[in-house]
Amino acid sequence: MTQEELFKNLIAHAKEYGFIFPSSEIYDGLSAVYDYGQMGVELKNNIKKYWWDAMVRLNENIVGIDSAIFMHPKIWEASGHVGAFNDPLIDNKDSKKRYRADVLLEDYIAKLEEKIEKEVAKGRKKFGDSFNEEQFLATNPNVLRNRTKIDNVRERMVKALNDNDLKALRDLIVECEIACPISGTKNWTDVRQFNLMFSTQVGSVSDDAGLIYLRPETAQGIFVNYLNVQKTGRMKIPFGIAQIGKAFRNEIVARQFIFRMREFEQMEMQFFVRPGEEMKWYAMWKEKRLQWHKALGLGDGKYRFHDHEKLAHYANAACDIEFEFPFGFKELEGVHSRTNFDLSNHQKFSGKKLQYFDPETNESYVPYVIETSIGLDRCFLAVLSAAYHEEKLADGEERVVLRIPPVLAPVKVAVLPLVKKDGLPEKAREILGSLKYEFNCQYDEKDSIGKRYRRQDAIGTPYCVTIDHDTLKDNCVTIRDRDTMEQERVSVDRLKDIIEEKVSFKNILKKL
Ligand code: GAP
């Protein structure tokens, strides 16, 4: 099965089992907007808790806030979003479809990369064990031709984006002979800049006086509150402020399920440091964030850093932590050294001093900022896509299992009476009653035990506990492990400890 087919199955599975529904589905949906169902919201809340506790609980010098989505419109002028938060767009005149110019070029580059991979696969097949990939990549004429093309297109694209040279972007698209995937023609308009912020009106005024924006990032709510938090929390530099909340962007390229949405959630942390020390903290946060991801156990090889070639208007260094999604390595989180750009500009635009007095150096200054910014929905997709497995079992049966890290699993334990009679449901409910204050549990007595196991595998429940007739005599149950499917007979008194060991936040946080 191809990755594309597997991804389609995953999307269908996410809907069938109550993880993610298309928004407004009975009205045929709303593009790039999704709702989280009864399982999805549990998984999402667990990811939030893991992030929040790792930031706010484990670090004495990081505190959290929850700022409003609506903010004074001048904030977005000061932050540069009104002027520069744009995507370069191009329309195909025949299909009337609109594309991001840089995405068309990135897709073109991806196709060339695919050609190189195919060439390598051919070489491997031809030369067998004696195949030397490094040498092949350095000498094969087809590979070298495509690699030169890739480097050239990428270099020119980055330069055009950095210089805001829209004509150069269009020329490159034309030169690469990129055709519209819908019409198949190369009949392109000019490239234009398109601002990604949603705007609306506040109050009853209908002119520009009432114009406000839906925030495109949560970070600005932190910047404008930094002195409030510093003073009321008696924070000393270096210190951080963390926040989880909704952000909105009028994305034109809306595809790949919840990877790129118009309404999404961010988990951001701004770390305020002494000017001149930012690179030290930048390096530390890169490592710390990678460690947070790896502790989930989705596979260390699924992550990589990608340093930005085109820096955002506020950054002096930036990288992405990329994850290997079913559609390839893509950005999951950004770590950015944002200088003092935001705070200095807010000082300028608001006329209020935003300086910090450093008691150690006896100096006042506008702090520099390291930001870590992860999309909650992208993290959700990373977990779900790494967890999704279609398996053929030894007895010839098939199952779909979500190997979600147990600490994040929506339901931790399912309590299942073997039959619906003989006092087993009552005993099962008694056990459920003793576990439900510790863990999110499900009770299920319908269908055969095999079918019930399959249902729990499909939502990623780490443990199933089965109550049978012997339970009434010896107070023991069968506990079944989702991943190994092994079953063990244990005393009811041990259940809490066994489950706790596997699903507790404490154990994963201790790894950090
Ligand atoms: N405050 C910095 C900032 O917003 P960003 O790289 O634009 O930086 C940070 O966004 C993270 O937010 C990304 O790494 C991604 O995980 C997530 N994100 C951005 N746009 C998104 C979208 N349209 N849909 C889902 N997640 C998105």
Side-chain angles (χ1 to χ4, degrees):
M1 190 180 304
T2 64
Q3 283 296 304
E4 207 175 318
E5 285 162 342
L6 205 64
F7 189 44
K8 270 193 188 145
N9 292 355
L10 164 72
I11 294 171
H13 186 87
K15 183 175 169 211
E16 187 180 347
Y17 286 91
F19 283 86
I20 296 170
F21 307 127
S23 162
S24 324
E25 198 185 6
I26 58 169
Y27 292 95
D28 296 333
L30 185 64
S31 173
V33 186
Y34 290 89
D35 297 336
Y36 286 82
Q38 67 281 11
M39 288 299 134
V41 70
E42 296 287 346
L43 173 53
K44 205 175 176 197
N45 283 342
N46 289 337
I47 297 173
K48 284 191 206 178
K49 180 167 168 55
Y50 175 40
W51 184 87
W52 188 266
D53 285 358
M55 282 294 176
V56 174
R57 268 208 194 175
L58 296 193
N59 296 289
E60 283 173 31
N61 58 350
I62 298 182
V63 291
I65 63 165
D66 183 15
S67 68
I69 287 171
F70 291 151
M71 299 169 80
H72 196 288
K74 266 202 172 170
I75 284 175
W76 305 111
E77 284 175 41
S79 68
H81 283 83
V82 169
F85 194 53
N86 300 321
D87 272 348
L89 299 184
I90 188 165
D91 293 13
N92 182 270
K93 291 183 194 166
D94 300 315
S95 68
K96 312 276 182 246
K97 278 273 165 201
R98 182 165 287 177
Y99 300 92
R100 252 173 68 179
D102 55 330
V103 170
L104 282 181
L105 289 163
E106 290 286 1
D107 287 351
Y108 174 79
I109 289 172
K111 278 195 193 125
L112 293 176
E113 294 278 8
E114 247 172 59
K115 279 190 186 169
I116 292 179
E117 273 166 35
K118 278 193 187 142
E119 207 68 50
V120 170
K122 261 201 300 189
R124 190 172 290 118
K125 204 167 162 195
K126 188 167 161 196
F127 298 110
D129 284 347
S130 61
F131 181 63
N132 180 335
E133 185 170 330
E134 211 173 303
Q135 193 187 353
F136 185 83
L137 286 172
T139 53
N140 180 280
N142 290 341
V143 170
L144 290 178
R145 202 180 44 252
N146 282 324
R147 179 60 56 205
T148 309
K149 241 192 232 173
I150 289 171
D151 292 345
N152 180 274
V153 172
R154 180 163 284 134
E155 194 181 310
R156 287 173 60 190
M157 177 182 77
V158 170
K159 185 169 177 352
L161 289 169
N162 277 332
D163 298 349
N164 199 16
D165 187 344
L166 302 182
K167 183 175 176 312
L169 268 182
R170 184 182 189 279
D171 290 349
L172 194 53
I173 287 170
V174 171
E175 211 178 293
C176 292
E177 299 189 356
I178 295 173
C180 165
I182 308 283
S183 66
T185 71
K186 299 164 196 155
N187 196 4
W188 298 110
T189 62
D190 288 342
V191 178
R192 280 163 301 142
Q193 291 289 18
F194 177 84
N195 195 284
L196 293 180
M197 283 197 294
F198 285 104
S199 61
T200 186
Q201 298 288 332
V202 71
S204 58
V205 254
S206 61
D207 60 12
D208 270 2
L211 179 81
I212 58 167
Y213 299 99
L214 298 191
R215 66 181 178 195
E217 61 171 12
T218 60
Q220 297 304 324
I222 294 178
F223 286 124
V224 297
N225 277 301
Y226 120 90
L227 266 192
N228 283 338
V229 174
Q230 190 271 319
K231 287 190 174 140
T232 56
R234 293 178 295 116
M235 309 299 288
K236 285 208 174 71
I237 268 178
F239 73 92
I241 304 178
Q243 168 160 237
I244 300 177
K246 289 266 184 177
F248 304 84
R249 295 182 190 178
N250 198 357
E251 300 280 3
I252 290 305
V253 183
R255 59 181 185 192
Q256 289 154 341
F257 196 30
I258 56 169
F259 181 81
R260 197 179 298 287
M261 308 206 287
R262 297 204 167 110
E263 174 181 342
F264 58 100
E265 254 178 290
Q266 289 184 317
M267 305 190 287
E268 299 202 295
M269 193 279 299
Q270 313 292 321
F271 199 68
F272 299 88
V273 304
R274 266 187 207 141
E277 291 189 357
E278 70 272 17
M279 286 307 158
K280 176 179 89 183
W281 295 111
Y282 172 66
M284 187 205 81
W285 277 108
K286 268 176 80 168
E287 283 314 313
K288 242 174 134 63
R289 291 305 304 148
L290 187 62
Q291 205 186 355
W292 182 90
H293 287 286
K294 287 185 172 174
L296 282 172
L298 303 181
D300 290 2
K302 284 190 167 289
Y303 300 92
R304 70 179 187 196
F305 284 119
H306 171 249
D307 292 320
H308 284 200
E309 288 164 275
K310 178 185 188 289
L311 289 174
H313 57 274
Y314 48 72
N316 69 358
C319 76
D320 297 335
I321 297 175
E322 292 187 338
F323 183 80
E324 192 177 15
F325 290 98
F327 37 85
F329 273 97
K330 295 272 179 223
E331 175 185 349
L332 169 60
E333 169 157 10
V335 182
H336 312 129
S337 172
R338 284 182 85 130
T339 68
N340 61 0
F341 174 88
D342 302 85
L343 289 180
S344 297
N345 266 12
H346 286 310
Q347 201 168 243
K348 202 155 77 196
F349 278 69
S350 68
K352 307 276 166 20
K353 270 216 150 66
L354 293 179
Q355 291 195 331
Y356 168 81
F357 176 73
D358 192 328
E360 280 182 36
T361 60
N362 272 331
E363 278 175 313
S364 287
Y365 52 78
V366 177
Y368 270 47
V369 172
I370 306 302
E371 161 183 79
T372 72
S373 174
I374 172 171
L376 174 55
D377 314 86
R378 278 195 197 174
C379 189
F380 186 110
L381 183 59
V383 170
L384 204 63
S385 56
Y388 183 83
H389 286 88
E390 295 178 8
E391 290 181 352
K392 218 174 181 85
L393 305 178
D395 60 7
E397 264 207 54
E398 284 176 11
R399 72 163 181 168
V400 173
V401 55
L402 293 186
R403 296 179 188 273
I404 298 174
V407 65
L408 302 182
V411 176
K412 306 301 188 204
V413 55
V415 181
L416 318 170
L418 192 60
V419 288
K420 265 194 269 183
K421 55 183 184 180
D422 304 336
L424 300 193
E426 290 75 9
K427 182 68 184 171
R429 289 217 175 266
E430 181 193 312
I431 294 172
L432 183 81
S434 68
L435 295 176
K436 72 178 180 192
Y437 298 102
E438 311 285 340
F439 315 109
N440 195 18
C441 306
Q442 256 193 11
Y443 176 84
D444 190 1
E445 58 178 25
K446 196 168 175 288
D447 298 321
S448 72
I449 197 75
K451 271 196 184 156
R452 282 183 269 169
Y453 283 160
R454 287 296 96 82
R455 277 204 288 269
Q456 295 302 327
D457 290 344
I459 59 169
T461 307
Y463 283 125
C464 288
V465 165
T466 305
I467 288 87
D468 56 27
H469 291 92
D470 286 341
T471 309
L472 303 179
K473 292 180 227 147
D474 61 8
N475 205 36
C476 288
V477 289
T478 304
I479 185 163
R480 172 191 179 268
D481 183 287
R482 173 195 73 195
D483 298 334
T484 62
M485 291 186 290
E486 274 170 15
Q487 305 187 7
E488 201 190 341
R489 192 93 189 147
V490 301
S491 160
V492 170
D493 307 331
R494 285 185 54 216
L495 276 181
K496 180 176 160 295
D497 288 346
I498 295 173
I499 301 165
E500 174 82 20
E501 178 61 27
K502 192 149 187 168
V503 308
S504 81
F505 277 96
K506 186 171 83 187
N507 286 346
I508 190 167
L509 290 172
K510 275 187 172 173
K511 287 193 204 164
L512 303 178

